[in-house]
Amino acid sequence: MARPRFLPDNFTLMLIVTVVLASFLPAHGEGEVAFNLLTNVAIAALFFLHGAKLSREAVLAGATHWRLHLLVFASTFVVFPIVGVALKPVLSWMVTPELYLGILFLCTLPATVQSAIAFTSIARGNVPAAVCSASASSLFGIFITPVLVGLIVVHHDGNGGASPFDSIGNIMLQLLVPFIAGQLSRKAIGKWVERNRGLLKVVDQGSILLVVYTAFSEAVNTGLWHQIPPLALLGLLGCCAVILALMLAITTYSARWLGFSREDEITIVFCGSKKSLASGIPMAKVLFATGPLGAIVLPLMLFHQMQLMVCAVLAQRYANRQRAAQGAQAGKGAKLAKSTPGKAATDANPGKSDSKSANAGAGR
């Protein structure tokens, strides 16, 4: 039986179940310690496997398109944070201060990898460039995101606390070191990882579910759902929708204004308007180890699901336009051939025409 279209995907359902489970059965005491340790191991394994999987050839294939990559990087790490800060006077009244810190945090994150590439492929965009931009964004985000958090999130956090600049070392130890180890091990285990992509998917999704469960367990233990009014959750959905709509518009019209092709525009839109849940939640765990982690990651979770649903529709629209344009071009060619049959016949059989010309010339 076909899956009902109104149902979300399996991973979204698992995220919802995890949040509900953590809300009613949060981890306590030794159980919380065990889940934190398991989560750290899963995150390290995730970045190790991504390092072993990442193809250097695929990245180099699109690395020369520097104008496209520069625009994607500017959108991800410059325009996004500016939008988050600029909209604070307009949107902050809709949510709690902790939730808006989460909004600012998601604005500092790198782009997605898998979904950005997948949507670019569906929409018939520049896939090699998408592989390069999304992968580089994820890698450089390990360094850039902590700096942006220190400049933006801490500056807007009235509670003060330790600067996330101090957490760069922890980020490198927990995320970058396993990634580099995976890259160095690629020759030995790269083919095995490619053959067992299901394992990477399990580790990828499993690590996110573990972080979500531990984060919300801690948040529930400190009274998260008592601190966030229902209207604030509705306001958060509105904030995420406004930011996503703005970034989709900015990336689309910037690509057109700068004269990029339709294929490059598609890549810029899907790589420059998306934020990574897979990278963001592990980073949040390190950067906000002593902060309101549940409230910090909640905007990212909502934004991530919203961007997937909106970009899925957008990718289909791009693909339909491409098919319509190709169909119109084919129809125009057929109509031209029908209106000039003699020319079409000559074009189809040039040898016959040449033969007639030669005979005429011989007769003269």
Side-chain angles (χ1 to χ4, degrees):
M1 186 176 66
R3 184 189 186 94
R5 298 184 65 180
F6 63 85
L7 281 181
D9 60 275
N10 290 334
F11 184 56
T12 302
L13 291 174
M14 286 190 290
L15 277 174
I16 295 171
V17 170
T18 301
V19 172
V20 173
L21 182 64
S23 298
F24 290 97
L25 295 172
H28 293 282
E30 294 182 359
E32 186 175 3
V33 174
F35 270 106
N36 278 321
L37 178 60
L38 182 60
T39 301
N40 291 335
V41 172
I43 291 170
L46 168 66
F47 277 82
F48 175 81
L49 291 173
H50 272 295
K53 177 190 174 185
L54 183 61
S55 170
R56 297 167 196 171
E57 291 78 10
V59 173
L60 291 174
T64 56
H65 205 339
W66 63 270
R67 289 179 66 243
L68 182 147
H69 303 318
L70 189 61
L71 182 55
V72 171
F73 264 61
S75 173
T76 303
F77 295 117
V78 178
V79 179
F80 242 115
I82 289 175
V83 167
V85 173
L87 289 178
K88 185 180 180 182
V90 181
L91 301 179
S92 59
W93 64 272
M94 300 171 65
V95 294
T96 64
E98 292 80 10
L99 287 177
Y100 205 85
L101 287 180
I103 292 174
L104 292 175
F105 171 64
L106 81 85
C107 289
T108 68
L109 290 172
T112 59
V113 179
Q114 292 94 334
S115 59
I117 296 169
F119 285 135
T120 300
S121 177
I122 292 170
R124 303 185 180 186
N126 188 340
V127 175
V131 171
C132 180
S133 277
S135 302
S137 175
S138 181
L139 178 60
F140 289 124
I142 294 175
F143 303 99
I144 298 173
T145 293
V147 174
L148 290 175
V149 168
L151 291 172
I152 297 173
V153 180
V154 171
H155 176 71
H156 287 81
D157 185 1
N159 297 324
S163 170
F165 282 107
D166 299 333
S167 300
I168 293 179
N170 293 331
I171 287 280
M172 293 178 64
L173 181 63
Q174 191 169 354
L175 307 183
L176 184 60
V177 170
F179 182 88
I180 293 175
Q183 278 281 289
L184 295 175
S185 306
R186 178 170 171 77
K187 287 186 178 180
I189 67 171
K191 293 182 179 179
W192 180 84
V193 172
E194 287 293 331
R195 290 195 304 267
N196 296 273
R197 294 192 176 198
L199 175 63
L200 182 59
K201 183 178 180 180
V202 169
V203 176
D204 195 344
Q205 296 185 353
S207 63
I208 293 174
L209 293 174
L210 279 171
V211 173
V212 169
Y213 178 74
T214 54
F216 272 87
S217 290
E218 181 181 348
V220 169
N221 290 335
T222 57
L224 171 68
W225 299 123
H226 297 291
Q227 298 169 5
I228 301 179
L231 286 178
L233 290 176
L234 292 176
L236 180 59
L237 286 172
C239 292
C240 291
V242 169
I243 292 174
L244 179 60
L246 272 176
M247 291 309 303
L248 286 172
I250 289 171
T251 51
T252 300
Y253 290 106
S254 296
R256 294 176 183 176
W257 180 66
L258 293 172
F260 285 96
S261 67
R262 174 60 64 88
E263 290 75 16
D264 288 344
E265 175 192 319
I266 291 169
T267 303
I268 291 165
V269 169
F270 289 123
C271 292
S273 65
K274 296 168 71 63
K275 291 296 184 177
S276 174
L277 183 71
S279 298
I281 290 186
M283 286 184 180
K285 187 177 185 299
V286 177
L287 292 169
F288 302 97
T290 60
L293 189 57
I296 292 292
V297 301
L298 184 58
L300 174 58
M301 291 173 60
L302 293 180
F303 186 87
H304 180 79
Q305 301 308 320
M306 187 179 294
Q307 73 184 4
L308 290 181
M309 291 185 287
V310 172
C311 288
V313 174
L314 194 58
Q316 289 296 336
R317 289 185 63 185
Y318 270 118
N320 291 338
R321 288 176 186 173
Q322 289 282 77
R323 283 192 289 266
Q326 291 173 356
Q329 188 174 4
K332 185 177 180 181
K335 185 176 180 180
L336 181 62
K338 187 176 180 180
S339 62
T340 55
K343 184 179 183 301
T346 300
D347 291 342
N349 194 357
K352 185 176 180 180
S353 176
D354 292 345
S355 176
K356 287 182 180 181
S357 299
N359 292 336
R364 288 193 297 267

